[in-house]
Amino acid sequence: EALEMTQALLARVLPSDAEASTQKIVETVKETMQDPRGQAAVASMAVLAVTIAYLRSKRPKKLPTIRQILEEEPDLTYFSGEWEELSDAGPWDKPNLNHSLEQSSLIVFAPTNRAFQLASPKTMNLDKAKWRKLLITHVAQTSLPQEDLERRASVVCCTNLIVPLSIIKDTFSDETVQARRPLQASNGLVYLIDEVLMPDKLSIASA
């Protein structure tokens, strides 16, 4: 009988989307406690509720996409705004930072707002085509895990240029080198960097 009453209670307390107001739970428990048999049912329901809460807490949190990170990170407002202004069509394909790739992930080397402030006037006054190439140069596509990527000296970006990975590493006074912690996204990684990558200063990757 206690099991049947517990099932009835759950049917009343938990709607189809498993969300119930605190007031409804309190009222239901009060009504049930008036019945001597209800105490066992309430105890069973309490154990079940604790179990459900524990299992939910163990669920991995859904990560944002790279695009969402760029939009929400206060130090990347300039890069994010300029990226959104890029048209999809152009001499270099614009990677979709909102979609996941099947067997690889996107890596974004995102210059901070200060990096753009410190960039030379020549950099900030490039024509439309060169500015597009500059922005897309800050994105790479790779199938390497994060640990393997950070051990490499360089990676080829989406404009087929070689990006030195020293831009994501810090050297300390004892000469140890450590990669910066990236922002984790559902479709890749975002590294905040202190400089704007200049395509004309990078080497072209061999075919």
Side-chain angles (χ1 to χ4, degrees):
E1 291 182 354
L3 179 58
E4 293 176 355
M5 186 168 288
T6 301
Q7 292 174 332
L9 279 170
L10 289 172
R12 291 179 59 188
V13 174
L14 297 178
S16 58
D17 61 356
E19 295 289 341
S21 67
T22 302
Q23 185 62 33
K24 185 174 182 180
I25 294 175
V26 171
E27 291 176 356
T28 303
V29 171
K30 284 182 178 179
E31 292 175 6
T32 305
M33 290 299 288
Q34 295 176 2
D35 189 328
R37 299 172 302 168
Q39 296 181 8
V42 170
S44 298
M45 187 174 65
V47 172
L48 182 59
V50 170
T51 303
I52 292 174
Y54 174 78
L55 292 175
R56 284 182 176 177
S57 69
K58 294 298 181 181
R59 288 180 182 174
K61 293 183 179 179
K62 184 178 180 181
L63 292 172
T65 65
I66 289 176
R67 181 180 177 183
Q68 290 171 331
I69 288 177
L70 297 182
E71 291 175 344
E72 296 171 4
E73 177 58 45
D75 285 340
L76 301 177
T77 53
Y78 191 87
F79 180 77
S80 176
E82 292 298 312
W83 185 268
E84 290 302 311
E85 289 294 321
L86 285 183
S87 61
D88 291 333
W92 299 100
D93 291 337
K94 178 184 177 182
N96 190 332
L97 303 184
N98 217 29
H99 288 182
S100 298
L101 303 173
E102 290 186 4
Q103 298 183 354
S104 61
S105 57
L106 294 170
I107 311 296
V108 175
F109 307 105
T112 61
N113 295 337
R114 180 168 174 75
F116 280 104
Q117 291 172 357
L118 296 176
S120 68
K122 180 181 178 181
T123 299
M124 302 305 293
N125 289 289
L126 294 173
D127 62 38
K128 189 174 180 180
K130 290 181 178 179
W131 186 249
R132 177 185 181 86
K133 183 176 182 179
L134 179 146
L135 292 176
I136 296 177
T137 293
H138 289 81
V139 182
Q141 181 178 330
T142 180
S143 58
L144 292 173
Q146 178 185 339
E147 296 78 10
D148 293 344
L149 173 72
E150 293 175 352
R151 283 196 288 264
R152 294 174 64 92
S154 62
V155 67
V156 178
C157 69
C158 292
T159 57
N160 199 41
L161 298 174
I162 300 174
V163 176
L165 291 181
S166 57
I167 61 172
I168 65 168
K169 299 174 183 178
D170 294 315
T171 302
F172 297 92
S173 57
D174 60 357
E175 298 186 355
T176 58
V177 178
Q178 184 175 345
R180 298 178 181 181
R181 181 176 297 179
L183 301 176
Q184 299 282 344
S186 61
N187 55 340
L189 302 170
V190 177
Y191 289 92
L192 275 65
I193 61 174
D194 301 324
E195 61 183 284
V196 179
L197 297 174
M198 293 299 298
D200 59 355
K201 294 183 179 180
L202 301 176
S203 301
I204 300 175
S206 58

